Amino acid sequence: MVNNYIPLYGLQLAFKQFSYQKGINGSPWIGFKNFKFLFASNDAFIMVRNTLLYNIIWIIIGVIFGVAVAILFNEILNKTVQKFYQTAILLPYLMSMVVVAYLVYAFLATDTGLINNAIVKGLLGREEGIAWYMESKYWPFILTFVQQWKQIGFGMLLYLSSLLGIDKSYYEAAMLDGATKWQQIRMITVPLLKPTIIMLTILNMGQIFRSDFGLFFQVPMNQGALLSATQTIDTYVYTALLVNNNFGMSAAASFLQSVVGFIFIVGANAIVRKMDKNSSLF
Amino acid sequence: MVSRDQKTWRIAAHIVMILLSAAALLPFLLLIIASFTDDTVALLNGYSYFPEKWSLGAYEYILENKDTFFKAYGMTILVTVVGTAVNIVLTSLTAYVLSKRQLPGVKIMNLFVIFTMLFNGGLVATYISYVTIFHVKDTIFGLLLPSLLMNAFMIMLVRNYFEHSIPEDIYESARIDGANEFVIFIKLVLPLSVPILATVGLMGGIAYWNDWQNSLYYIDDKSMYTIQAVLNSINEGVAALATLGGNSGVSLSELPTTTIRMAVAVVGILPILVIYPFFQKYFAKGLMAGAVKG
């Protein structure tokens, strides 16, 4: 807990001109200058746009895939087979992003990657492979794919737990009436999952100002050419802080992320609480 | 009786699941095969599921430089074991106190814990605090303390378990027998909570094993690198291999770099690949329990 509270004291750095020699308390106050510099740069727009867009798209895709896969998974009756599928699909969720970056590299490396050699040069018969790590236009798709690949097992589990709670007698009654499986899914499963879907979506909206640092930093291998597609608030804060030693702008971005993120979460929770008191976080 | 409609759905479900499983597993297979490929072949034809020539060269290199890699491995194991142990102790103690709702001040403490889930100082404030106030740079505490030691979400999970899954009668009969709270906690509550503590330990352990961010932020000294930090530094430039290897005396151009990086990655994920199938049950349970209240 101390872990979380003492750094709060450091939030004031966003309004100071920090230097290691002077420490947190000794550094002079400079008001909103850090923020002014931040917004004067083009970076601010790109990183906020990327963070928000990726999050919104992934929330939508995540719901669709999560629910679909959970429903299909539930159709499989053999427990041993079910266990095998679950084990396999969850495996990527356990891997660190560094390892994921290695896996992606094995497929996308310009000279030695499987995709360039087997598909681009092999099947399509092109002379030159595509320089994946140099062209930013591919990265929204690559990142989305990797993100889903890693998360889908977890997404499935989320919806599966509420899917298992649905009373079996609904389906028995529907089957007696001769309803097809598709009708059952549309009329029973999806409506009953709706509260869970809405709840998880709102909670995810609360996280909309945060991004998975590992995904955006490791998987594109921190290539400058890709930044317009891969720069998010988290990667910006890191690079400004530890690579460029740009304390002021980094602190300002980090401060904004904390505060705006907090407002979003509290707002999301307030909505959830209004809908269903038991599901709210606090 | 199984209708045709149901049968079609079941087959479709199997097909989708097989595709997803394949998508999940095949990249790991490529990683493993790539690490056993002959380096010149890999350089010429790229990584492939069916390499023309197999080789143990990458692993031989790792064994030649075992000091570096074993040290990183040892560091990872040390941090994982110590971190997970401390994590379990702190989490269960905090959760136990929070589960006693009748105690004065518990409500405020609860809020205190939940607040950490909602708001934090962000990277800059956290980093500067750790470096200038706690001085964790290049110490083992830099790997142990930041962000991973305790997790409010896990505390809530364990608290709920203490409250709902352990019968109130047990507490009462123990109190009548004159046991104090500490004895009750050690002798009664902990043995009954093995499943949830296993989940907490597993999640914490994986988080420590996989952690590369703390190394990235707080560790500059190469002798303190964990296996993930080694992987990360290779990722930033294969040249790191030469410096990591230290006194092996070979130049970078002679190293089988194309396959070594894959071999190191395989070595890094091996323990998870081996252990995970056996603990899958606890893991899925923990995630699902979290999902219900999440």
Side-chain angles (χ1 to χ4, degrees), chain A residues 3 5 94 102 112 181 258, chain B residues 5 47 112 120 130 210 231:
Chain A
N3 267 337
Y5 284 100
L94 299 182
Y102 275 73
T112 56
K181 203 87 217 179
S258 290
Chain B
D5 177 50
Y47 303 118
F112 196 71
N120 61 64
Y130 272 113
N210 279 341
L231 280 172

Side-chain angles (χ1 to χ4, degrees), chain A residues 9-19 22-35 247-249 251-252:
Chain A
Y9 181 66
L11 273 177
Q12 54 172 301
L13 288 173
F15 305 100
K16 284 189 164 187
Q17 188 173 21
F18 180 76
S19 76
K22 294 178 189 145
I24 296 179
N25 289 321
S27 299
W29 292 95
I30 52 167
F32 283 93
K33 248 191 199 146
N34 287 330
F35 293 91
F247 288 110
M249 273 150 93

Side-chain angles (χ1 to χ4, degrees), chain A residues 1-11 13 18 20 23-24 69-73 75-77 81 83-99 101-103 105-107 109 111-114 117 149 152 154 156-158 160-161 164 175 179-182 185 200 203 207 210 212-214 217-218 221 234 237-238 241-242 247 250-251 254-255 257-259 261-262 265-266 278-282, chain B residues 5-6 9-10 12-18 20-21 23-28 30-31 34 42-49 111-134 137 145-152 155 203 206 210-213 216-217 228 230-232 234-236 258 261-262 264-265 268-269 272-273 276-277 280-281 283-284 287-288 290-294:
Chain A
M1 295 302 111
V2 171
N3 267 337
N4 192 67
Y5 284 100
I6 293 185
L8 291 188
Y9 181 66
L11 273 177
L13 288 173
F18 180 76
Y20 279 110
I24 296 179
V69 174
I71 290 175
L72 287 174
F73 182 80
E75 284 297 309
I76 289 160
L77 299 177
V81 180
K83 209 182 146 200
F84 169 78
Y85 289 148
Q86 193 180 16
T87 309
I89 297 172
L90 251 181
L91 183 65
Y93 187 72
L94 299 182
M95 290 299 146
S96 80
M97 272 300 171
V98 181
V99 173
Y102 275 73
L103 295 173
Y105 179 81
F107 283 91
D111 301 326
T112 56
L114 185 72
N117 283 300
W149 176 77
I152 190 127
F154 181 60
M156 178 184 87
L157 272 187
L158 285 179
L160 198 60
S161 57
L164 292 173
M175 267 186 310
T180 63
K181 203 87 217 179
W182 178 241
I185 290 172
L200 288 172
L203 289 175
Q207 304 284 340
R210 300 186 182 165
D212 185 340
F213 174 60
F217 180 71
Q218 289 289 351
M221 302 225 171
D234 293 82
V237 169
Y238 168 76
L241 174 66
L242 287 171
F247 288 110
S250 178
S254 181
F255 179 87
Q257 186 183 31
S258 290
V259 173
F262 177 67
I265 293 182
V266 172
N278 291 322
S279 306
S280 66
L281 278 170
F282 52 92
Chain B
D5 177 50
Q6 255 178 319
W9 272 90
R10 201 153 296 157
H14 274 287
I15 292 173
V16 172
M17 286 301 147
I18 288 169
L20 284 175
S21 305
L25 296 179
L26 283 178
F28 293 100
L30 180 62
L31 187 78
L43 212 55
L44 208 66
N45 300 345
Y47 303 118
S48 157
Y49 282 105
L111 204 68
F112 196 71
V113 170
I114 289 176
F115 187 71
T116 64
M117 291 207 255
L118 309 175
F119 190 71
N120 61 64
L123 177 63
V124 177
T126 309
Y127 176 80
I128 302 289
S129 303
Y130 272 113
V131 174
T132 61
I133 300 177
F134 296 119
K137 194 109 189 167
L145 296 181
S147 74
L148 298 171
L149 195 60
M150 266 169 114
N151 174 328
I155 296 176
M203 306 286 269
I206 287 176
N210 279 341
D211 179 58
W212 50 273
Q213 298 194 7
L216 184 67
Y217 300 153
Q228 299 282 346
V230 170
L231 280 172
N232 188 24
I234 296 175
N235 223 349
E236 279 169 4
T258 334
R261 50 160 52 208
M262 296 303 162
V264 180
I269 61 175
I272 298 185
L273 288 182
Y276 165 61
Q280 201 264 43
K281 200 178 68 185
F283 185 73
L287 288 178
M288 270 176 138
V292 174
K293 187 65 206 167

Side-chain angles (χ1 to χ4, degrees), chain B residues 228-284:
Chain B
Q228 299 282 346
V230 170
L231 280 172
N232 188 24
S233 66
I234 296 175
N235 223 349
E236 279 169 4
V238 203
L241 269 178
T243 49
L244 276 171
N247 43 21
S248 60
V250 273
S251 72
L252 187 62
S253 56
E254 291 169 46
L255 289 176
T257 48
T258 334
T259 53
I260 286 180
R261 50 160 52 208
M262 296 303 162
V264 180
V266 170
V267 173
I269 61 175
L270 201 61
I272 298 185
L273 288 182
V274 172
I275 293 172
Y276 165 61
F278 299 101
F279 287 94
Q280 201 264 43
K281 200 178 68 185
Y282 286 118
F283 185 73

